[in-house]
Amino acid sequence: MMTIKRVGILGAGKVGITLAGLALNAGYEVRISGSGTVDKIALTIKMLVPGVIAAENDEVVANSDIVILALPLSRYKNIAATLLTDKLVIDAMNYWWETDGIREEVLAPDSTSSEQVQAYFKDSTIVKTFNHMGYHNLQEDARPQGDPRRKALFVTGNDHTAVDDVAHFVDTLGFDQVIHYNIAAGIMTEPGSPLFGASLDYQTLKHTIDHFDQTEFGKKITAAK
């Protein structure tokens, strides 16, 4: 299993800052970048998540074992694809019309958003998670192993080892994991799905995912693995 000690987050919005706080509390060294200069976000970071290091994208990536994309989906191509070469990357993004604009201008209609993120960062390994639970639930619902109130996150990607490494990382941040090994399955947790915005325990989340897998659409995704 991959040893993760340093976490980098690209995106200093609500989700990025929430994940930075969770990672810091779990004992990781955490760096975060925003859309502006370091000076622009440094004070905010110091106030909201003291101990997290504000940095430029290059420094965040260079000093991280795992990188989380917590940007508006419409901005991921502002990052040079080569910046994340050979990195394990978590896609925590969703298309959201209020921030991303017209869907057809952001995403091609023939594949899911994470498939397109993986295609763009072709020399990186993308795993999708943290996208279906609201930032406030991420912040408030993290619990240690064995806590009956613990919630679960969906984790999916094409690389089995990477998915397992990310699942372990999710566990350390305070959540159970329902694992899938097909990045296209991420559509089950995107806006418009019953799971989007839901904060569920492991059994409920797994039951919902298993039910989806038995639908015609779910079988089509599974067959494409």
Side-chain angles (χ1 to χ4, degrees), residues 4-222:
I4 299 172
K5 295 182 177 179
R6 306 170 302 164
V7 177
I9 301 173
L10 304 184
K14 293 173 180 176
V15 172
I17 288 174
T18 297
L19 293 175
L22 290 174
L24 190 71
N25 290 341
Y28 296 99
E29 179 182 302
V30 185
R31 286 175 173 80
I32 191 168
S33 63
S35 57
T37 64
V38 174
D39 291 342
K40 185 177 178 181
I41 68 166
L43 181 59
T44 300
I45 297 304
K46 185 177 181 179
M47 292 175 62
L48 296 179
V49 277
V52 171
I53 303 165
E56 299 286 356
N57 287 350
D58 290 4
E59 182 183 341
V60 169
V61 174
N63 292 282
S64 298
D65 303 311
I66 190 169
V67 177
I68 302 173
L69 295 175
L71 307 157
L73 184 64
S74 55
R75 297 180 192 169
Y76 76 88
K77 288 186 178 179
N78 292 349
I79 301 167
T82 53
L83 181 63
L84 298 179
T85 296
D86 296 329
K87 287 289 185 179
L88 175 55
V89 180
I90 292 176
D91 175 12
M93 302 181 293
N94 290 301
Y95 166 76
W96 194 248
W97 69 271
E98 291 180 337
T99 54
D100 295 319
I102 299 171
R103 184 182 178 90
E104 289 74 16
E105 294 179 359
V106 179
L107 294 170
D110 57 347
S111 65
T112 64
S113 65
S114 286
E115 288 177 283
Q116 293 175 53
V117 171
Q118 177 66 88
Y120 178 73
F121 294 109
K122 61 185 181 61
D123 296 317
S124 311
T125 304
I126 305 293
V127 176
K128 191 176 188 73
T129 191
F130 296 126
N131 67 298
H132 65 85
M133 193 182 292
Y135 73 91
H136 51 285
N137 289 121
L138 287 168
Q139 191 171 48
E140 297 168 5
D141 291 345
R143 298 283 188 277
Q145 283 187 358
D147 190 313
R149 299 170 297 167
R150 205 177 203 224
K151 304 299 185 179
L153 287 165
F154 186 54
V155 183
T156 190
N158 293 334
D159 185 300
H160 285 220
T161 299
V163 170
D164 292 346
D165 285 337
V166 169
H168 176 70
F169 175 68
V170 168
D171 184 37
T172 66
L173 264 59
F175 299 92
D176 289 335
Q177 320 90 50
V178 175
I179 295 173
H180 214 290
Y181 294 112
N182 182 2
I183 203 165
I187 197 168
M188 291 189 273
T189 56
E190 293 178 0
S193 78
L195 293 176
F196 183 71
S199 181
L200 305 173
D201 61 43
Y202 173 84
Q203 290 297 338
T204 305
L205 180 60
K206 188 176 187 308
H207 175 77
T208 307
I209 294 295
D210 288 347
H211 176 74
F212 180 91
D213 275 340
Q214 296 307 309
T215 66
E216 289 304 313
F217 185 66
K219 289 178 182 177
K220 183 177 179 181
I221 288 177
T222 302

